[in-house]
């Protein structure tokens, strides 16, 4: 049996129509099939490969750590240099209020930890999230997701979860002294790149402060430079109480984190002690890769390039069938009339060697979220092939 047959026979499937693209190697913004077919990756593995595939400095950090040690002990007991250095580097990118990092393995796990922390610290039980939010697929993260299609088959889920409309000022009144936390994507991703205004986020912050509610910002997709700031909340002049990150954090390695101040995070130490446990969280190889990723973003000045690259996409992607482009930096949605129009375009683009996608809750829009290292020439090449696919 070849790899495709083994894939279908033995690997768990999540749809009856997987893409079935076989990849043998990846480098920079490109992936390569076993017979050498070249694909330009315009979605970064869904917001993961922000510094590109197999960045040399990330590979160097991984190799250096491989020569020292792998897993040693469950999280939080041993002093491990990769974890310590990464936590310090993360805090250095943040306002001083956010100075304590809990490392996990994924975005869903980071959300789970953040929800537990908010409930434990406030001794409240209500959580508020947004309609069409996506925060992950485990039971707790699914509970605060905002699309019933993905939830109904798994009920009962967490009790005490209520939903508001992202960007709707009037809904902020639903945040009360009973609310442990509001969890909200700074930029709504799977809803199709929806961006609320600065005034909304400032009103949200003010309402949380007034009610003693913790504000959890989910930057699993939007963080690590994707929007042109290291953290998307920097666009809105607010600071969360808990910040959640993953995806682009690891340079291609699995890692996530939730970040708060030391006082809030201290709630996990008592009643009960070991209030949150992870075996592999902050795995030393992933932590080393994440630290290298931060350094690449900073040293190669990738943040300064994001807006110009996004503008080039918007300048080149002009066609009567394109209804509009929504974006915050290189987190982009190209709108078409319907999924029925969009899906064949995505399929033809893949045939031509450009990988795009749609959104879970917005299937009339094409996802574009390339590695931040993408060059102008590669943007021009990608847009030309997309326009050919449209035509």
């Amino acid at each position: 049996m070849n790899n495709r047959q083994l894939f279908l026979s033995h690997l768990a499937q999540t749809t009856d129509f997987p893409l079935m693209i076989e990849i043998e190697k990846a480098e920079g913004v490109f992936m390569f099939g076993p017979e050498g077919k070249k694909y330009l990756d315009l979605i970064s593995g869904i917001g993961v490969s922000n510094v590109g595939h197999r960045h040399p400095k990330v590979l160097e950090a991984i190799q250096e750590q491989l020569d020292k040690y792998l897993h040693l002990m469950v999280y939080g007991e041993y002093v491990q240099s990769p974890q310590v250095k990464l936590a310090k580097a993360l805090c250095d990118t943040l306002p001083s209020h956010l100075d304590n990092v809990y490392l996990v393995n994924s975005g869903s796990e980071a959300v789970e930890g953040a929800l537990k922390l908010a409930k434990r610290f406030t001794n409240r039980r209500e959580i508020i999230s947004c309609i069409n939010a996506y925060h992950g697929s485990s039971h707790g993260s699914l509970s605060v997701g905002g699309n019933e299609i993905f939830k109904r088959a798994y009920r009962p889920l967490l009790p005490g979860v209520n939903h508001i409309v992202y960007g709707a000022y009037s809904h902020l009144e639903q945040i009360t002294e009973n609310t442990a936390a509001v969890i909200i994507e700074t930029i709504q991703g799977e809803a199709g790149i929806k961006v609320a205004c600065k005034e909304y986020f400032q009103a949200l912050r003010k309402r949380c402060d007034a009610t003693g509610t913790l504000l959890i910002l989910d930057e699993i997709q939007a963080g690590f430079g994707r929007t042109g700031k290291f953290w998307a909340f920097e666009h809105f002049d607010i600071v969360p109480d808990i910040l959640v990150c993953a995806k682009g954090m690891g340079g291609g390695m699995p890692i996530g984190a939730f970040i708060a101040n030391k006082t809030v995070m201290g709630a996990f130490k008592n009643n009960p002690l070991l209030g949150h446990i992870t075996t592999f969280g902050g795995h030393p190889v992933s932590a080393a890769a994440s630290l290298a990723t931060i350094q690449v973003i900073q040293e190669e000045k990738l943040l300064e390039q994001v807006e110009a690259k996004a503008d080039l996409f918007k300048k080149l992607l002009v066609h009567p069938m394109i209804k509009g482009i929504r974006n915050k930096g290189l987190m982009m949605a190209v709108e078409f009339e319907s999924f029925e129009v969009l899906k064949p375009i995505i399929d033809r683009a893949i045939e031509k060697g450009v990988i795009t996608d749609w959104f879970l809750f917005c299937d009339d829009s094409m996802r574009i979220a390339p590695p931040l290292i993408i060059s102008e020439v590669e943007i021009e090449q990608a847009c030309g092939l997309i326009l050919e696919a449209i035509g």
Side-chain angles (χ1 to χ4, degrees):
M1 296 177 74
N2 62 30
N3 280 345
R4 294 169 67 86
Q5 292 167 325
L6 291 169
F7 174 90
L8 292 171
S9 296
H10 299 298
L11 204 63
Q13 307 292 300
T14 55
T15 72
D16 290 322
F17 43 89
L19 286 173
M20 295 290 289
I21 301 171
E22 188 172 352
I23 300 299
E24 189 171 81
K25 184 179 179 181
E27 196 84 38
V29 300
F30 291 102
M31 301 186 293
F32 301 87
E35 297 178 0
K37 183 171 174 60
K38 188 176 180 181
Y39 300 93
L40 204 165
D41 183 4
L42 276 193
I43 55 174
S44 306
I46 313 297
V48 169
S49 303
N50 283 14
V51 298
H53 296 280
R54 301 179 69 250
H55 192 286
K57 291 184 179 178
V58 174
L59 295 184
E60 182 183 350
I62 290 170
Q63 186 60 58
E64 184 178 332
Q65 185 56 40
L66 287 176
D67 292 336
K68 295 178 179 177
Y69 55 83
L70 302 181
H71 175 76
L72 299 178
M73 177 60 167
V74 297
Y75 177 81
E77 296 299 323
Y78 292 174
V79 179
Q80 300 182 50
S81 177
Q83 294 180 351
V84 172
K85 290 180 178 179
L86 173 58
K88 174 63 165 62
L90 284 167
C91 292
D92 285 347
T93 68
L94 290 161
S96 59
H97 175 75
L98 295 169
D99 62 2
N100 220 241
V101 179
Y102 196 118
L103 296 171
V104 291
N105 303 285
S106 68
S108 286
E109 288 182 59
V111 167
E112 295 286 348
L115 295 176
K116 283 179 64 179
L117 181 60
K119 291 168 78 172
R120 177 68 189 86
F121 181 76
T122 62
N123 287 315
R124 302 175 184 179
R125 296 294 173 261
E126 181 190 53
I127 304 289
I128 289 178
S129 62
C130 290
I131 294 168
N132 280 343
Y134 182 79
H135 297 291
S137 198
S138 53
H139 260 76
S141 59
L142 183 63
S143 298
V144 294
N147 189 287
E148 186 59 26
I149 292 172
F150 282 83
K151 296 164 69 168
R152 62 169 66 108
Y154 303 102
R155 291 193 177 280
L157 294 168
L158 284 184
V161 176
N162 294 308
H163 298 291
I164 60 176
V165 173
Y166 177 86
Y169 288 86
S170 61
H171 286 209
L172 298 181
E173 295 178 2
Q174 295 182 39
I175 304 167
T176 71
E177 286 77 7
N178 296 319
T179 311
V182 175
I183 181 167
I184 185 171
E185 297 164 279
T186 316
I187 312 295
Q188 276 203 314
E190 297 309 315
I193 316 303
K194 300 296 174 64
V195 187
C197 64
K198 180 187 291 189
E199 290 75 18
Y200 170 78
F201 275 106
Q202 292 178 346
L204 170 62
R205 177 71 272 180
K206 184 177 180 181
R207 181 66 178 175
C208 287
D209 289 340
T211 57
T213 300
L214 297 187
L215 176 59
I216 304 171
L217 290 185
D218 178 339
E219 299 217 354
I220 292 169
Q221 285 196 53
F224 277 74
R226 175 58 53 193
T227 67
K229 301 281 190 183
F230 198 95
W231 302 106
F233 70 78
E234 296 176 58
H235 293 285
F236 305 106
D237 294 336
I238 61 164
V239 179
D241 298 298
I242 305 174
L243 178 66
V244 175
C245 55
K247 285 192 179 288
M249 179 179 179
M253 293 292 287
I255 191 167
F258 56 101
I259 306 169
N261 68 43
K262 195 168 185 178
T263 301
V264 173
M265 200 71 81
F268 277 151
K269 294 193 291 186
N270 299 290
N271 298 318
L273 66 111
L274 298 174
H276 194 65
I277 299 172
T278 172
T279 297
F280 293 111
H283 190 282
V285 176
S286 292
S290 182
L291 177 61
T293 298
I294 294 173
Q295 293 167 343
V296 167
I297 291 171
Q298 294 171 338
E299 291 168 6
E300 297 188 8
K301 301 187 184 304
L302 295 181
L303 300 181
E304 290 89 329
Q305 304 169 33
V306 166
E307 204 56 48
K309 291 175 180 179
D311 288 343
L312 183 57
F313 271 108
K314 291 190 286 186
K315 176 183 176 182
L316 296 174
L317 286 177
V318 177
H319 190 280
M321 292 178 69
I322 294 175
K323 304 300 181 184
I325 298 178
R326 300 181 298 276
N327 80 294
K328 197 68 174 176
L330 285 171
M331 196 172 177
M332 312 185 78
V334 181
E335 185 179 347
F336 291 82
E337 183 177 337
S338 65
F339 179 72
E340 289 70 28
V341 171
L342 173 60
K343 181 60 165 62
I345 294 170
I346 289 174
D347 293 341
R348 288 194 294 267
I350 291 173
E351 291 172 8
K352 292 175 181 293
V354 176
I355 294 181
T356 64
D357 194 15
W358 64 93
F359 300 89
L360 284 179
F361 313 140
C362 183
D363 64 8
D364 65 358
S365 295
M366 175 186 288
R367 183 196 309 266
I368 293 181
L372 307 184
I373 63 166
I374 193 170
S375 69
E376 290 187 3
V377 170
E378 289 159 347
I379 292 172
E380 291 169 359
Q381 177 188 350
C383 291
L385 292 172
I386 290 171
L387 291 174
E388 286 182 21
I390 296 172

